[in-house]
């Protein structure tokens, strides 16, 4: 849903009970990642749309920044049990990708690529939710290096590990392929309301 200021509100922000089971609130957004923030040369940065799309496409930072932008208000739920409510993000909705490339009907999953080889996998329907975006700003300010500069994914309906920082592109695939945390014991889907934290032994 969108209000008069054009802000899209994630469904979680409209719930009577805002905290999923097993979560507590954090005032600030903690910093959490594997490896360090990468050094980004913004003149070399590219956002690449690859896999089952035609044509594959790479955008420079100025090109990416000129794409239509939205604002999204969302809650953040980390699997380690903190939640941070009411985050205002600005950036490019994931659905904009559909206007940039033709997606093969065989594509059923995406893998989001980030600097340093980090990846996160999503079913295509989870990827194209209307409150998902590639965020450039958080609460009115440029995303900081530790939170994913220049571009981070935000997937409000799933645990925050799906929200890759330092995104470099998205790849469309016919088969699911587990991402970084998903192949290290985290749940493949990650719905916080279902407490999909960790995988069954597979
Ligand atoms: N590239 C990258 N993105 C990442 C991670 C990471 O290790 N590398 N960690 C994820 C996890 S587990 C969480 S909880 C959030 C933390 O985001 P924050 O540091 O902005 O709070 O980033 C997610 N995105
Ligand atoms: Mo996390």
């Amino acid at each position: 849903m969108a209000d008069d200021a054009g802000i899209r509100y994630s469904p979680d922000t409209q719930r009577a009970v805002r905290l999923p089971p097993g979560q507590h609130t954090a005032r600030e957004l903690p910093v959490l990642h594997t490896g360090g923030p990468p050094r980004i040369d913004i003149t070399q940065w590219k956002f690449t749309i690859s896999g089952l799309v035609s044509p594959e496409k790479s955008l420079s930072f100025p090109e990416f920044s000129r794409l239509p932008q939205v604002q999204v208000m969302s809650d953040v739920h980390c699997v380690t049990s903190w939640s941070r409510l009411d985050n205002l993000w600005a950036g490019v909705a994931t659905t904009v990708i559909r206007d940039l490339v033709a997606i093969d009907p065989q594509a059923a999953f995406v893998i989001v690529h980030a600097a340093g080889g980090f990846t996160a996998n999503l079913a295509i329907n989870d990827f194209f939710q209307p409150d998902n975006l590639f965020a450039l700003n958080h609460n009115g300010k440029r995303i900081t290096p530790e939170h994913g500069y220049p571009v981070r994914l935000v997937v409000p309906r799933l645990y925050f590990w799906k929200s890759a920082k330092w995104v470099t592109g998205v790849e469309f695939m016919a088969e699911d392929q587990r991402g970084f945390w998903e192949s290290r014991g985290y749940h493949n889907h990650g719905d916080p309301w279902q407490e999909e934290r960790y995988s069954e032994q597979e």
Side-chain angles (χ1 to χ4, degrees):
M1 80 170 78
D3 73 359
D4 289 345
I7 298 175
R8 296 181 185 180
Y9 285 84
S10 262
D12 278 8
T13 66
Q14 309 298 301
R15 291 178 190 253
V17 175
R18 297 283 290 277
L19 274 184
Q23 297 293 110
H24 65 268
T25 49
R27 273 167 178 276
E28 298 301 328
L29 194 57
V31 174
L32 215 76
H33 51 250
T34 152
R39 234 188 301 268
I40 304 283
D41 178 351
I42 201 67
T43 67
Q44 300 300 310
W45 183 88
K46 289 233 175 315
F47 181 93
T48 302
I49 309 165
S50 63
L52 293 173
V53 296
S54 58
E56 294 196 341
K57 199 171 228 174
S58 277
L59 304 180
S60 67
F61 188 69
E63 289 168 337
F64 190 85
S65 306
R66 281 197 294 273
L67 296 173
Q69 295 193 17
V70 290
Q71 295 189 84
V72 172
M73 187 72 86
S74 90
D75 296 341
V76 161
H77 308 298
C78 174
V79 70
T80 62
S81 89
W82 54 264
S83 292
R84 188 180 187 281
L85 308 184
D86 299 319
N87 299 274
L88 182 62
W89 309 97
V92 177
T94 56
T95 52
V96 169
I97 304 258
R98 289 181 168 141
D99 303 328
L100 301 176
V101 294
I103 301 171
D104 189 314
Q106 300 270 322
F109 301 92
V110 306
I111 195 135
V112 177
H113 293 274
F118 185 86
T119 51
N121 60 311
L122 294 156
I124 203 161
N125 180 54
D126 287 326
F127 176 71
F128 281 130
Q129 291 302 308
D131 50 336
N132 289 356
L133 77 165
F134 293 103
L136 297 159
N137 284 34
H138 178 236
N139 292 341
K141 298 203 181 90
R142 196 47 102 200
I143 302 263
T144 58
E146 63 269 26
H147 290 295
Y149 172 88
V151 174
R152 85 168 299 157
L153 180 63
V154 177
V155 181
R157 301 176 199 218
L158 299 176
Y159 281 123
F160 207 33
W161 83 74
K162 297 281 185 185
S163 295
K165 307 196 272 193
W166 316 297
V167 167
T168 56
V170 55
E171 180 181 354
F172 288 81
M173 306 190 303
E175 308 287 336
D176 198 10
Q177 186 184 307
R178 293 176 92 102
F180 183 89
W181 286 117
E182 294 83 0
S183 48
R184 287 166 177 78
Y186 282 19
H187 199 279
N188 198 46
H189 183 230
D191 179 346
W193 299 92
Q194 304 297 324
E195 283 210 74
E196 292 173 342
R197 295 176 191 273
Y198 305 106
S199 282
E200 308 293 297
Q201 210 60 42
E202 285 169 282

